């Protein structure tokens, strides 16, 4: 292991996700295992600029593996977007004796880290953590599995009332501009239709599908809509449109919103976060920098962070076909 790294900073940034705390815990404990000091940085890049640091040891992270959110908080930082702000951040890290950073977050977090590394040659390793699962270089981002289970649980509840009142529900889910949450949770919850930005179903095909559901005897339906979907109407406009066009439908809307970001992480996300934290710290100790840790073929992998931010996560075409068949 490289002797150059004696003190590692860890921070969370961007939208929080279940499993962030498990990742923090793993980074801190791996540092302790290797007798490396670990500094917790509050509120991401803003916290670096302000020197909002806290020394952390193995005991500092007890009891957090099962907690949603992030004990290190997250914040957006206008200052870090400026060269002057990044210079202040660099000086703060040097003054604190921090030799490298583990960045827990999404593509925005990694983009910031890349700029910082280019300006100051400061070692960084990224851990992908967002419910969107929209990051190239890993099949799973931390938080995605938990969000799927939250959405499926919510849709199961909505289906009870939909079937009691013979209603159609449009359920909007998060995912920014990708449809991974909508597609996977839609299949998992048995949705009749799933609208995602990657596959524009179009209004006519939606109406046709809803008509077929009715004709096949379905008395209630769930349509899961990714927030980034491009059908051209938001869920409230879709409600009005369907009610005006298919008068036999009584329609309601449910926007799941930020509850998809909370709750205790699933076992899968806790294990993933624990594995990624070890890989991130040990990669730094091996002298590696500018990589993102990822899960590929069930194994921990490193992807150059420049590729991770430039790449696009792709929708699973086979799963798309499964969804189509399941809506028969
Ligand atoms: O990136 C995670 C995410 O939850 C997206 O799915 C969503 O569009 C966005 O963050 C919401 O951002 P904010 O928490 O700033 O409203």
């Amino acid at each position: 292991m490289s002797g150059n790294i004696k003190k590692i900073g860890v921070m969370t940034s961007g939208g929080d996700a279940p499993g962030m705390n498990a990742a923090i815990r793993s980074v801190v404990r791996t540092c302790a295992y290797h007798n490396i000091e670990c500094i917790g940085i509050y509120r991401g890049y803003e916290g670096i600029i302000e020197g909002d640091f806290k020394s952390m040891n193995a005991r500092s992270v007890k009891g957090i593996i099962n907690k949603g959110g992030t004990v290190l908080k997250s914040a957006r930082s206008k200052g870090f977007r400026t060269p002057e702000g990044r210079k202040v951040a660099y000086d703060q890290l040097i003054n604190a004796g921090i030799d490298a950073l583990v960045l827990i977050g999404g593509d925005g977090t990694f983009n910031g880290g890349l700029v910082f590394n280019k300006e100051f040659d400061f070692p960084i390793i990224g851990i992908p953590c967002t419910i969107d699962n929209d990051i190239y270089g890993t099949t799973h981002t931390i938080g995605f599995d938990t969000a799927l289970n939250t959405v499926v649980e919510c849709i199961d509840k909505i289906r009870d009332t939909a079937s009691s009142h013979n209603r159609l529900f449009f359920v909007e889910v998060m995912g920014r501009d990708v449809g991974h949450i909508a597609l996977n949770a839609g299949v998992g919850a048995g949705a009749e239709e799933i609208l995602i930005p990657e596959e524009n179903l179009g209004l006519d095909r939606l109406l046709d599908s809803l008509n077929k559901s009715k004709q096949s005897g379905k008395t209630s339906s769930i349509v899961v809509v990714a927030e980034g979907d491009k059908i051209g109407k938001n869920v409230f406009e879709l409600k009005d449109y369907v009610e005006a066009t298919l008068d036999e439908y009584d329609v309601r809307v449910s926007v799941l919103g930020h509850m998809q970001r909370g709750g205790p992480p699933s076992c899968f996300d806790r294990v993933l976060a624990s594995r990624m934290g070890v890989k991130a710290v040990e990669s730094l100790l091996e002298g590696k920098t500018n990589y993102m840790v990822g899960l590929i073929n069930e194994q921990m992998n490193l992807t150059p962070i420049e590729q991770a931010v430039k790449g696009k996560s792709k929708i699973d075409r086979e799963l798309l076909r499964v969804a189509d068949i399941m809506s028969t």
Side-chain angles (χ1 to χ4, degrees), residues 15 76 130-132 174-176 181 227 258 261:
R76 308 207 186 283
T130 166
I131 65 167
D132 301 342
M174 284 184 159
R176 205 179 289 275
I181 294 176
E227 62 178 342
H258 283 69
R261 289 254 288 269

Side-chain angles (χ1 to χ4, degrees), residues 35-54:
N35 299 313
I36 297 286
E37 276 193 77
C38 189
I39 301 294
I41 298 165
Y42 285 99
R43 296 174 298 114
Y45 293 118
E46 195 63 13
I48 300 180
I49 290 173
E50 295 174 3
D52 197 354
F53 302 153
K54 177 190 167 193

Side-chain angles (χ1 to χ4, degrees), residues 33-108:
Y33 177 82
H34 289 288
N35 299 313
I36 297 286
E37 276 193 77
C38 189
I39 301 294
I41 298 165
Y42 285 99
R43 296 174 298 114
Y45 293 118
E46 195 63 13
I48 300 180
I49 290 173
E50 295 174 3
D52 197 354
F53 302 153
K54 177 190 167 193
S55 180
M56 299 183 87
N57 61 33
R59 303 283 63 82
S60 313
V61 288
K62 71 180 186 311
I64 67 169
I65 191 170
N66 59 335
K67 299 275 186 292
T70 162
V71 295
L72 290 179
K73 311 287 182 189
S74 177
R76 308 207 186 283
S77 173
K78 286 198 180 74
F80 199 78
R81 292 171 186 275
T82 67
E84 299 76 16
R86 290 192 292 270
K87 178 66 172 73
V88 171
Y90 177 72
D91 292 343
Q92 289 280 24
L93 292 171
I94 298 305
N95 292 340
I98 295 172
D99 307 305
L101 286 174
V102 174
L103 309 172
I104 302 172
D107 49 5

